[in-house]
C-alpha cells in the first residue's frame, strides 16, 4: 500500500541519516589529533608546554589550559582531545560536562607507560622514576575520570579500532 511504502521510505531516510551521522562522527574522530588542545595552548602562550612548565610551573600552565579549553568549547561542536590533567580541574570538567560529552579512554599502567615514553616532552614525567609518577597520577586522577559520561577501555590496537570502540560506546550512551 502507499502507506506502507511511505513508512518504509521514512524508515530508510532515518536510517540513511543515522548512517551519515555515524560516518561524520567517524571521520571527525579519525581526524582528531590526540592533544588537540596542546596546539591551541602552545599557540596562545607562544611556547611549548615544556617551556611553560619550566618558565612558570604547573599551576600557571593549568590556568592557561583551562582558559583555552573554555574558549575551544565555546567555539561550537568539535572533538577536543585534552591532556590528562585538564579533566581534573573542577571548572574545566564542569564546562565539558555542560557543553559536551566526555569520553575517558581508560588505559592500564603498562599501556600508558608504553605511550608516554615515546615522547620526551612530558614535564611531569621528567623524573628518575616516571612509572612511579604515573602510578601516582593514576591513583589521583582515575577516580575523577570515572565521572566521564562514557568510558572506553583503551587497548594497544590500531587507531581506527579505538575510534570504532568510541563510536560504539557513544551509540550506546543514554545521555
Amino acid at each position: 500500500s502507499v502507506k506502507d511504502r511511505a513508512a518504509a521510505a521514512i524508515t530508510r531516510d532515518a536510517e540513511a541519516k543515522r548512517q551519515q551521522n555515524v560516518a561524520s562522527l567517524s571521520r571527525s574522530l579519525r581526524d582528531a589529533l590526540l592533544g588537540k588542545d596542546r596546539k591551541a595552548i602552545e599557540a596562545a602562550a607562544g611556547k611549548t608546554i615544556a617551556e611553560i612548565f619550566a618558565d612558570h610551573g604547573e599551576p600557571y600552565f593549568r590556568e592557561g589550559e583551562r582558559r583555552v579549553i573554555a574558549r575551544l568549547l565555546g567555539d561550537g561542536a568539535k572533538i577536543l582531545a585534552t591532556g590528562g590533567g585538564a579533566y581534573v580541574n573542577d571548572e574545566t570538567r564542569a564546562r565539558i560536562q555542560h557543553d559536551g560529552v566526555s569520553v575517558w579512554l581508560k588505559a592500564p599502567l603498562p599501556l600508558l607507560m608504553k605511550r608516554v615514553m615515546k615522547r620526551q616532552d612530558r614535564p611531569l614525567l621528567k623524573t628518575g622514576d616516571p612509572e612511579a609518577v604515573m602510578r601516582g597520577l593514576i591513583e589521583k586522577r582515575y577516580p575523577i575520570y570515572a565521572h566521564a559520561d562514557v568510558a572506553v577501555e583503551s587497548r594497544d590496537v590500531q587507531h581506527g579500532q579505538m575510534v570504532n570502540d568510541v563510536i560504539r560506546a557513544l551509540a550506546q550512551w543514554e545521555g
Side-chain angles (χ1 to χ4, degrees):
S1 77
V2 171
K3 187 176 178 182
D4 290 338
R5 284 193 308 254
I10 291 170
T11 302
R12 279 195 308 274
D13 288 345
E15 178 61 17
K17 184 66 173 172
R18 187 193 68 76
Q19 287 177 0
Q20 286 174 343
N21 289 339
V22 169
S24 176
L25 175 62
S26 179
R27 279 191 303 279
S28 295
L29 285 170
R30 289 182 203 289
D31 292 343
L33 299 174
L34 291 177
K36 186 174 183 179
D37 67 326
R38 167 186 284 270
K39 290 180 182 179
I41 292 165
E42 290 177 343
K47 298 179 178 186
T48 67
I49 290 176
E51 291 169 337
I52 298 168
F53 265 78
D55 294 348
H56 306 286
E58 184 179 3
Y60 180 90
F61 166 77
R62 295 294 174 204
E63 176 56 25
E65 177 184 55
R66 183 198 57 74
R67 287 192 314 269
V68 167
I69 290 172
R71 178 178 52 80
L72 292 172
L73 287 171
D75 287 345
K78 70 179 58 58
I79 295 171
L80 178 62
T82 67
Y87 197 73
V88 174
N89 178 282
D90 292 336
E91 189 175 332
T92 298
R93 187 172 56 259
R95 182 77 187 253
I96 290 170
Q97 290 170 336
H98 181 267
D99 294 342
V101 178
S102 55
V103 178
W104 173 24
L105 300 178
K106 184 179 181 183
L109 179 63
L111 181 57
L112 286 174
M113 292 309 298
K114 179 179 177 183
R115 290 177 179 166
V116 300
M117 296 314 290
K118 291 178 184 177
R119 295 176 48 180
Q120 299 303 312
D121 61 346
R122 302 279 183 169
L124 293 179
L125 299 179
K126 290 190 177 201
T127 69
D129 191 354
E131 188 168 325
V133 172
M134 183 62 77
R135 197 175 298 107
L137 290 172
I138 286 172
E139 288 173 15
K140 175 184 173 191
R141 293 177 176 179
Y142 277 25
I144 297 169
Y145 296 167
H147 294 283
D149 297 311
V150 176
V152 177
E153 293 292 328
S154 189
R155 302 175 290 135
D156 194 8
V157 297
Q158 295 277 331
H159 180 72
Q161 290 176 280
M162 283 308 307
V163 168
N164 290 335
D165 289 354
V166 171
I167 291 169
R168 277 192 294 278
L170 287 169
Q172 295 173 3
W173 181 57
E174 297 179 6

